[in-house]
């Protein structure tokens, strides 16, 4: 029949390649989620992710840019 050279996919009759690609996609999603969480934790410990309650209550436009929305 067909001899697979490693470049054929589902259209050429090799559904195993699609499975390999789905596994690769899942691995990338998990890796990205873990790395993103690590980066967020490091930033949170270093400078924090939230502004203070007072600044949030007054509005970030005023606190960060000195502007007021009318």
């Amino acid at each position: 029949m067909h001899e697979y050279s490693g470049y054929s996919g589902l259209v050429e009759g090799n559904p195993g390649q699609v499975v390999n690609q789905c596994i690769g996609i899942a691995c990338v999603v998990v890796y990205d989620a873990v790395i993103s969480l690590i980066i967020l934790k490091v930033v949170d410990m270093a400078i924090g992710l939230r502004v203070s309650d007072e600044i949030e209550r007054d509005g970030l436009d005023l606190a960060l840019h000195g502007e007021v929305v009318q």
Side-chain angles (χ1 to χ4, degrees), residues 4-21:
Y4 299 116
S5 63
Y7 295 106
S8 60
L10 183 62
V11 175
E12 287 83 19
N14 185 9
Q17 182 64 29
V18 176
V19 173
N20 289 338
Q21 289 172 339

Side-chain angles (χ1 to χ4, degrees), residues 9-47:
L10 183 62
V11 175
E12 287 83 19
N14 185 9
Q17 182 64 29
V18 176
V19 173
N20 289 338
Q21 289 172 339
C22 289
I23 291 170
I25 290 168
C27 289
V28 168
V29 168
V30 170
Y31 175 80
D32 288 345
V34 169
I35 296 300
S36 294
L37 287 174
I38 290 170
I39 291 171
L40 283 171
K41 278 296 186 187
V42 169
V43 170
D44 189 28
M45 289 188 301
I47 61 172

